[in-house]
Amino acid sequence: MKQQPNILLITSDQQHWNTLGAFNKEIKTPNLDRLAEEGTTFMRAYCPNPTCTPSRSSIITGKYPSQHGAWSIGTKLSEDEITLGKLLGESGYTSTLIGKAHFQPLKSTEQYPSLESYPILQDLAFWKTFNGPFYGFDHVELARNHTNEAHVGQHYAIWLEEKGCSNWRDYFLPPTGTMDSGIKYKWPIPEEFHYDTWIAERTNALLEEYSQEEKPFFMWASFFDPHPGYLAPEPWDTMYDSDQLTIPRITPGEHDANPPHFRLTQELDPDFSYLNETEIGNIGMGSHVNIAEEDRKKLVAVYYAMISLMDKYIGKILDKLDEVGLADNTIVVFTTDHGHFFGQHGLQNKGGFHYEDLLKLPFIVRYPGKVAAGRTSDAMQSLVDLAPTLLSFAELPIPRTMAGVDQKEVWLARKDSARDHVICEFRHQPTAIHQKSYVDERYKLTVYYNQTYGELLDLKEDPGEIRNRWDDPEFTELKAQLLLKFMWAELGKEPLWMPRISGA
């Protein structure tokens, strides 16, 4: 019987596509560079939505957020969804998630209960006895906080106590902890208690265990960094000198032809109330210029440091694969859930701004002897493609309900491409913030629900995405062509859950 491959998915959170040392000499990521040397880096990989819950739910369902229903953060992925872990598990795989899930919101209701919510989030007695199943994963070990957030709890807090960190609350914000919210950039937590250490330690312990079993495994090592807040433990917090880094800046006048919410971000006290249909706020819809110059530079240095620290622990996982003899039969995929702004276009963090900085992803695939080493490819990838592609490598049927495409032949360099476009969605309000982008080899088109404004960008002639051509008379015919292609793409991503089996 042919042995099915193991699958190791390693993800970061909110990592800009150009933060790999192999392609950007200002940052040090020796272990991810090694992965790139031993595998193929896809230079045009995209998220289906630039926020956590929608994108992460797409990874495990092979569906777009508009299809699986977890359309924004603060929503919940239905537990009835068919997931990658469930399908692999039914065929004999062991399926595990260590780290960040974020398939459910921080609040729970009777109609929409959430295991990732208060107060159960911090009921350590519960988490000591719960390791799944969870969305098809047989075994989970979870946390929810980014750096020092008060959301700390679940399996990470239990691990901290088991490691002898009895004062762990000192490193997290009130009301859970006692850390001073005024502390910036340096996180006083010792590296040995950082969640990167926890993820690598627990992942490696399970890899050791799985190496003794006959069953193949699907393991997701899900890191939390470099998602803000910008905090790193010593000595990483001072690893980079911000004066030696390229700090992205706005190009004067670049938002003049953009939709109004772009221009409002450049005001000190903007009024975004016109976008508030509900009482729940909108990510990114605020001032992006109320940051002191010193802080604008320092946060880039710490963002890079968070990536370098994470890289160290990714290296420990890769080393363990070698140590226990699993590397040759393990597909390793490294990517992130979406990108990040740290000054590009005058923007910070994320929001309804579909630039490449936010939509494009680092994306590396290693499968020794099968996926070419040291190769780069411009073949377009989407996170919705991960589930069908990994099922294909496991030689399992792909559910007709999945909208992603099978990239197996592309990863193996037998085909140049499996898709000629990607679609990216963003929705924070029922109608007021609801946009989609169509991106092909050269152009990007963004449309907004019930609005006549939009964006048309020429990624070849204007790679910095400075000039919006939506209202440019010279681009009228092209815009019409792209709108038609966008509609075709939308029609094409509607799955047929079953074939037509009768004339009536």
Side-chain angles (χ1 to χ4, degrees):
M1 180 178 176
K2 186 176 180 181
Q3 187 178 9
Q4 291 171 296
N6 302 309
I7 299 166
L8 173 60
L9 173 63
I10 305 174
T11 57
S12 58
D13 191 326
Q14 198 163 315
Q15 184 176 353
H16 190 276
W17 66 269
N18 193 29
T19 52
L20 299 176
F23 308 98
N24 177 358
K25 299 308 178 187
E26 292 190 2
I27 189 168
K28 294 178 175 61
T29 57
N31 294 292
L32 289 173
D33 297 353
R34 168 173 46 130
L35 198 64
E37 290 171 4
E38 297 171 347
T40 296
T41 304
F42 291 93
M43 309 303 286
R44 295 205 68 191
Y46 288 83
C47 65
N49 185 299
T51 39
C52 295
T53 299
S55 209
R56 290 169 174 272
S57 297
S58 290
I59 287 174
I60 63 171
T61 63
K63 293 181 177 181
Y64 290 86
S66 55
Q67 296 167 333
H68 60 58
W71 53 274
S72 172
I73 56 169
T75 67
K76 172 185 176 177
L77 178 66
S78 170
E79 278 131 338
D80 294 330
E81 283 291 327
I82 297 171
T83 65
L84 175 60
K86 182 176 188 295
L87 294 169
L88 289 171
E90 289 174 349
S91 78
Y93 274 75
T94 298
S95 183
T96 303
L97 168 62
I98 306 294
K100 176 173 176 174
H102 205 168
F103 304 135
Q104 299 185 351
L106 285 168
K107 182 179 178 180
S108 188
T109 68
E110 185 176 348
Q111 186 175 5
Y112 305 108
S114 170
L115 272 182
E116 299 190 61
S117 68
Y118 289 95
I120 197 170
L121 177 75
Q122 296 176 331
D123 182 353
L124 302 192
F126 169 81
W127 294 102
K128 284 179 181 178
T129 61
F130 179 83
N131 290 103
F134 192 61
Y135 289 100
F137 292 100
D138 307 310
H139 182 91
V140 294
E141 297 181 33
L142 306 176
R144 189 54 193 272
N145 57 292
H146 294 104
T147 62
N148 66 344
E149 286 180 337
H151 310 321
V152 62
Q154 296 171 290
H155 297 102
Y156 174 47
I158 294 169
W159 176 84
L160 285 169
E161 292 186 348
E162 290 175 346
K163 285 293 175 180
C165 186
S166 58
N167 67 325
W168 60 269
R169 293 179 184 273
D170 293 349
Y171 308 124
F172 300 93
L173 294 175
T176 304
T178 59
M179 183 174 166
D180 181 356
S181 61
I183 296 174
K184 296 194 299 184
Y185 307 126
K186 179 185 292 186
W187 193 8
I189 192 169
E191 184 182 332
E192 63 182 304
F193 301 132
H194 193 278
Y195 44 50
D196 287 357
T197 310
W198 166 63
I199 292 170
E201 180 181 298
R202 293 303 305 140
T203 298
N204 285 353
L206 289 167
L207 288 176
E208 185 86 46
E209 179 182 324
Y210 298 159
S211 70
Q212 305 301 314
E213 299 178 358
E214 294 296 321
K215 296 172 64 175
F217 65 81
F218 166 45
M219 170 84 77
W220 185 356
S222 181
F223 287 84
F224 298 85
D225 285 355
H227 186 296
Y230 302 100
L231 289 168
E234 293 184 303
W236 301 87
D237 61 307
T238 57
M239 178 177 181
Y240 293 96
D241 180 353
S242 58
D243 290 328
Q244 303 300 314
L245 300 177
T246 301
I247 309 298
R249 297 182 181 277
I250 193 172
T251 299
E254 69 169 285
H255 293 316
D256 290 352
N258 280 341
H261 64 285
F262 286 80
R263 296 189 292 276
L264 284 171
T265 64
Q266 303 307 298
E267 297 180 6
L268 282 172
D269 188 25
D271 182 4
F272 280 98
S273 61
Y274 74 101
L275 295 176
N276 295 337
E277 290 178 276
T278 68
E279 295 179 356
I280 300 176
N282 302 309
I283 288 179
M285 302 305 167
S287 176
H288 288 236
V289 296
N290 56 358
I291 303 175
E293 179 65 16
E294 181 181 351
D295 287 325
R296 269 187 12 92
K297 295 166 62 177
K298 182 63 176 175
L299 64 84
V300 178
V302 176
Y303 182 78
Y304 279 22
M306 294 165 76
I307 294 170
S308 292
L309 173 60
M310 177 180 64
D311 177 84
K312 171 182 174 179
Y313 288 91
I314 290 173
K316 290 182 179 294
I317 295 172
L318 297 177
D319 289 344
K320 176 60 71 170
L321 272 182
D322 291 334
E323 178 190 323
V324 297
L326 292 171
D328 286 346
N329 193 45
T330 300
I331 300 168
V332 178
V333 179
F334 170 77
T335 188
T336 193
D337 52 1
H338 54 80
H340 181 65
F341 296 116
F342 46 94
Q344 296 90 344
H345 310 284
L347 301 172
Q348 298 289 339
N349 208 330
K350 59 192 173 192
F353 318 98
H354 280 189
Y355 290 114
E356 298 287 273
D357 305 285
L358 195 55
L359 301 185
K360 205 161 78 162
L361 316 169
F363 196 99
I364 307 171
V365 178
R366 186 187 77 179
Y367 191 9
K370 297 180 176 63
V371 171
R375 178 173 175 259
T376 60
S377 170
D378 288 328
M380 301 185 88
Q381 308 283 318
S382 172
L383 292 182
V384 296
D385 302 338
L386 276 176
T389 302
L390 294 172
L391 288 171
S392 181
F393 271 99
E395 298 187 356
L396 296 174
I398 299 168
R400 296 176 62 91
T401 52
M402 288 189 175
V405 302
D406 179 2
Q407 297 273 1
K408 179 179 178 180
E409 296 300 299
V410 178
W411 289 12
L412 295 174
R414 295 172 184 164
K415 284 179 58 178
D416 291 336
S417 63
R419 55 164 67 248
D420 61 8
H421 69 274
V422 295
I423 291 177
C424 302
E425 307 175 342
F426 184 78
R427 193 171 189 177
H428 266 12
Q429 296 289 339
T431 64
I433 300 182
H434 185 191
Q435 66 197 71
K436 292 188 180 184
S437 289
Y438 168 88
V439 189
D440 66 15
E441 181 181 354
R442 178 168 178 174
Y443 297 104
K444 178 186 295 175
L445 183 87
T446 303
V447 296
Y448 295 80
Y449 184 57
N450 284 342
Q451 300 295 339
T452 57
Y453 55 66
E455 296 141 53
L456 197 171
L457 297 162
D458 185 339
L459 300 177
K460 179 180 178 182
E461 297 299 323
D462 179 27
E465 301 180 278
I466 305 302
R467 299 184 296 278
N468 180 13
R469 302 294 196 174
W470 180 267
D471 289 320
D472 189 329
E474 294 182 13
F475 283 72
T476 299
E477 183 177 349
L478 175 64
K479 182 169 75 171
Q481 293 173 357
L482 290 172
L483 284 167
L484 184 57
K485 286 184 176 181
F486 180 33
M487 284 306 305
W488 290 343
E490 277 293 308
L491 291 170
K493 76 176 175 65
E494 293 181 8
L496 299 174
W497 74 273
M498 66 169 284
R500 191 178 182 203
I501 58 174
S502 172

